[in-house]
Amino acid sequence: TMIVGLCRACRPDYALEIFWEMRGNQLRPSIECYEELVKLLCARKEYYAALEVIDDLPKIGRPMSSFIGNVLLLHSCSSRELFNAWYNSRNLQNLTTHSMAIGKLIDACSDSIGGDQDINAMEELIRQCFPLDLYTYNMLLRRISLSQINLAYEYLNQLRKKGHEPNRWSYDIVVRGLL
C-alpha cells in the first residue's frame, strides 16, 4: 500500500527505497507495486530504474503483466530511449532469456511495422514477454493504421476472428486512419 501510494504521489525515490528494502527482507511485493513503479518510472523517463524493477519479476517467480508490457510498448514506440537504456544497462554476456526477449521487443517496437508478416511476428514477440490484451492489440492497430489503413482494417477483422471484441478505441483508430 505504501509503495502504490508513494507512486501515485509521484515519489519514486521513496517508493523504490521501500520496494528494495522489502525485496532485501525476502518479501514479495504485489504485482500492483511493480505496475505502479514501472508506470511512474517510465513516465519520468527513468528507464534504468524501471528495467531493474522489471528484471526482478522472474526472480520472485512472477510473469510480466500485460499492464507492464503495454507500458514498455507505449514508451518504446515513442522513442529509442528505452531501448538505449536497456542496451546500456545490460551485461550482454550474462543476459537471461527474459531480458533478451524484452530487449528484442523494445527494439522491434522502436521500428515501424510494415506488413502482415511483421504484425504476426510482433504478436509472437509480445506473446513471449507477456499476454496480449485488447489494449495491446489496439496499440498494434494504431501503429499499422498510421501507414497502411487497408492492413489495419484486415487486422481489425482478424481480432474479431480471434475472439477479441473491438472497443470504441479500436474503431476510432480505423476511422482516424481513413481520414
Side-chain angles (χ1 to χ4, degrees):
T1 303
M2 286 183 64
I3 293 170
V4 171
L6 287 166
C7 287
R8 291 184 182 163
C10 294
R11 296 305 308 249
D13 46 345
Y14 294 127
L16 279 170
E17 185 178 325
I18 293 170
F19 176 84
W20 291 118
E21 186 177 318
M22 281 180 70
R23 290 296 295 126
N25 292 328
Q26 305 301 316
L27 297 172
R28 288 175 40 141
S30 69
I31 194 68
E32 186 180 16
C33 289
Y34 285 91
E35 290 174 346
E36 290 294 327
L37 275 169
V38 170
K39 180 176 85 172
L40 178 60
L41 293 168
C42 285
R44 297 171 66 109
K45 296 187 184 245
E46 296 179 27
Y47 297 127
Y48 291 105
L51 291 165
E52 284 181 356
V53 171
I54 292 168
D55 284 343
D56 190 58
L57 284 166
K59 294 175 185 170
I60 63 165
R62 289 193 197 274
M64 186 186 316
S65 69
S66 295
F67 183 87
I68 292 172
N70 288 330
V71 168
L72 290 180
L73 289 179
L74 187 64
H75 285 270
S76 62
C77 287
S78 63
S79 78
R80 299 262 319 156
E81 288 180 69
L82 180 57
F83 176 75
N84 292 338
W86 175 86
Y87 186 80
N88 292 329
S89 68
R90 303 295 118 174
N91 176 351
L92 297 177
Q93 305 302 323
N94 298 322
L95 278 179
T96 64
T97 305
H98 173 75
S99 182
M100 184 62 91
I102 290 171
K104 285 181 184 177
L105 177 62
I106 294 169
D107 186 30
C109 288
S110 298
D111 298 329
S112 63
I113 298 174
D116 193 31
Q117 291 298 333
D118 289 338
I119 194 67
N120 292 330
M122 181 67 78
E123 275 187 36
E124 184 54 39
L125 195 54
I126 293 169
R127 198 170 282 111
Q128 291 174 13
C129 297
F130 64 92
L132 286 84
D133 61 7
L134 188 57
Y135 188 90
T136 313
Y137 287 119
N138 281 339
M139 282 200 300
L140 292 172
L141 184 64
R142 173 107 169 89
R143 292 280 308 270
I144 299 167
S145 72
L146 294 174
S147 61
Q148 300 179 22
I149 192 59
N150 291 337
L151 182 59
Y153 184 73
E154 289 174 27
Y155 189 64
L156 184 68
N157 288 326
Q158 284 179 12
L159 293 180
R160 277 198 204 106
K161 290 176 186 172
K162 291 179 182 179
H164 298 282
E165 188 60 37
N167 60 12
R168 182 177 176 166
W169 187 32
S170 309
Y171 292 110
D172 284 349
I173 290 167
V174 174
V175 168
R176 287 182 187 176
L178 288 168
L179 293 175

